[in-house]
Amino acid sequence: DIQLTQSPSSLSASVGDRVTITCQASHHISNFLNWYRQKPGGVPKLLIYGVSNLETGVPSRFSGHGSGTNFSFTISGLQPEDFATYFCQQYDRLPLTFGGGTKLEVK
Amino acid sequence: EVQLLDSGGGLIHPGGSMRLSCAASGFTFRSHAMNWVRQVPGKGLEWVSSIVASGGRTFYADSVKGRFAISRDNSQNTVYLQMNTLRLDDTAIYYCTRGRYGDPKSEFDYWGQGTLVSVSS
């Protein structure tokens, strides 16, 4: 199975900050990586697919980069609704797997 | 508007069975793979099972293989998850998700609201 290691597991920041989360895969997954945001008490929402493609309707402050085994997700200019938990997910091979999550909290 | 309405969760004893349903609307159901993903409240996400658009192939996480069965009715726009021999560690919120394409190896672009399954003695 492909393991995804997300870091940090938690992060404190302020509105307007730029934050970056990383996701490292245990095997090469090409560009088959997605990012989701889950607000407190809410349902996960797809933000970025295929490493760097912004889902329709998602603000451009979100971006993704990487290839192979090392990936990153950046929010440029945090908004209040961005304080949530973020998950990476690979779809290169089954079983589909998720990273452990990064909880983004208000500083 | 795409909608996925999960239902069927509840409280069940260990060893029991339960069937979850996910009623889909707002898109061409038969063109998309469908999946179940679960989450222990406050914890991470775990992929459980997928079914291709035609219903002809199914896939399972090792943790549920042999106990759970995914199926779909493309005439009723509904996907099911039959869960048998339930264990305490099956307790979770179960989300129905849509795959962008007909194959399970694609992003989950829509999620249901989730249905809570509690396995307890």
Side-chain angles (χ1 to χ4, degrees):
Chain A
D1 298 3
I2 295 175
Q3 312 301 321
L4 296 179
T5 302
Q6 259 183 262
S7 62
S9 57
S10 64
L11 177 59
S12 297
S14 302
V15 172
D17 285 354
R18 173 186 170 100
V19 298
T20 296
I21 299 167
T22 64
C23 181
Q24 183 170 40
S26 60
H27 299 78
H28 189 282
I29 58 171
S30 186
N31 64 337
F32 299 120
L33 188 95
N34 305 316
W35 291 93
Y36 300 85
R37 176 180 70 185
Q38 185 175 30
K39 295 179 180 179
V43 173
K45 173 184 168 62
L46 177 67
L47 298 179
I48 288 177
Y49 63 96
V51 175
S52 60
N53 300 289
L54 212 57
E55 179 68 350
T56 302
V58 173
S60 59
R61 65 180 181 272
F62 298 100
S63 63
H65 297 88
S67 66
T69 61
N70 292 295
F71 304 89
S72 64
F73 170 82
T74 297
I75 310 173
S76 300
L78 276 171
Q79 297 299 300
E81 62 268 29
D82 297 334
F83 293 98
T85 301
Y86 294 83
F87 295 95
C88 58
Q89 178 239 333
Q90 67 81 21
Y91 58 108
D92 179 69
R93 67 186 78 166
L94 297 174
L96 306 175
T97 50
F98 291 86
T102 296
K103 186 173 184 179
L104 180 52
E105 299 174 305
V106 178
K107 184 182 288 183
Chain B
E1 179 192 4
V2 172
Q3 288 193 331
L4 300 174
L5 186 61
D6 307 327
S7 63
L11 179 62
I12 187 82
H13 292 309
S17 297
M18 181 176 280
R19 188 176 83 157
L20 305 183
S21 300
C22 172
S25 60
F27 64 99
T28 305
F29 182 73
R30 65 182 180 273
S31 296
H32 294 266
M34 297 298 294
N35 317 275
W36 289 94
V37 174
R38 68 185 181 184
Q39 183 176 38
V40 174
K43 302 297 184 184
L45 298 166
E46 179 188 15
W47 169 77
V48 173
S49 182
S50 297
I51 186 166
V52 300
S54 67
R57 286 183 299 152
T58 58
F59 308 90
Y60 301 93
D62 284 346
S63 57
V64 306
K65 200 172 294 181
R67 301 186 299 121
F68 289 13
I70 191 171
S71 61
R72 65 190 294 161
D73 183 341
N74 284 350
S75 69
Q76 296 294 317
N77 292 352
T78 303
V79 61
Y80 304 97
L81 186 68
Q82 177 67 43
M83 305 185 294
N84 300 324
T85 319
L86 281 160
R87 309 187 308 214
L88 295 175
D89 62 358
D90 292 318
T91 295
I93 300 168
Y94 285 73
Y95 296 103
C96 166
T97 74
R98 189 186 87 161
R100 178 100 68 189
Y101 304 109
D103 185 274
K105 291 197 284 185
S106 64
E107 54 272 19
F108 303 144
D109 60 355
Y110 287 92
W111 295 60
Q113 84 286 359
T115 185
L116 177 62
V117 174
S118 294
V119 184
S120 175
S121 53

